[in-house]
């Protein structure tokens, strides 16, 4: 199991729309294109969010995250339109 963990900010006035678009479009897209689980968390009392995308293994993560087509590019642009900056870490399950 592999998890990609993103940390990013969403302005308070955009958070409701961000969560709606995530639930309606972004999450279903990735979960139907290789991601086993797509979860978004908010750091309590802040504008910081954590996104966790789980994959079966490193190869499936790379294949999914590196998709190059109009639909995946559109989904990425939609997500980036809501966020300010981001960092990403890949975590590999070892036990």
């Amino acid at each position: 199991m592999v998890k990609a963990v993103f940390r990013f900010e969403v302005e308070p006035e955009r958070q409701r729309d961000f969560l709606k678009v995530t639930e309606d479009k972004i999450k279903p897209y990735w979960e139907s294109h290789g991601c086993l689980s797509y979860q978004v968390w908010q750091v309590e009392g802040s504008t910081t969010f954590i996104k966790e995308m789980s994959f079966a293994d490193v190869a499936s993560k790379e294949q999914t995250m590196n998709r190059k087509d109009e639909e995946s590019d559109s989904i990425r642009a939609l997500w980036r339109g809501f966020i300010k900056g981001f960092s990403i870490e890949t975590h590999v399950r070892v036990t």
Side-chain angles (χ1 to χ4, degrees):
M1 180 71 81
V2 172
K3 186 182 296 189
V5 179
F6 297 75
R7 184 179 185 94
F8 53 93
E9 305 290 324
V10 178
E11 295 294 334
E13 63 276 3
R14 303 208 64 211
Q15 290 177 8
R16 183 180 303 193
D17 290 339
F18 165 71
L19 294 171
K20 176 83 171 127
V21 168
T22 296
E23 190 67 31
D24 293 349
K25 295 181 180 181
I26 299 171
K27 175 182 171 103
Y29 174 79
W30 289 119
E31 287 184 342
S32 66
H33 288 83
C35 179
L36 300 175
S37 173
Y38 187 106
Q39 297 182 9
V40 175
W41 306 80
Q42 185 172 12
V43 175
E44 188 175 21
S46 81
T47 60
T48 302
F49 286 79
I50 306 293
K51 173 176 76 170
E52 298 179 345
M53 297 175 74
S54 298
F55 303 91
D57 52 38
V58 172
S60 22
K61 176 211 166 244
E62 292 300 319
Q63 182 179 11
T64 300
M65 301 288 288
N66 292 322
R67 290 179 62 88
K68 299 290 184 206
D69 57 58
E70 189 175 323
E71 190 176 16
S72 59
D73 291 346
S74 172
I75 290 293
R76 282 187 198 93
L78 186 60
W79 179 73
R80 286 187 183 122
F82 283 103
I83 69 159
K84 285 181 28 180
F86 75 92
S87 64
I88 181 173
E89 293 180 334
T90 298
H91 301 255
V92 179
R93 185 174 175 178
V94 294
T95 63

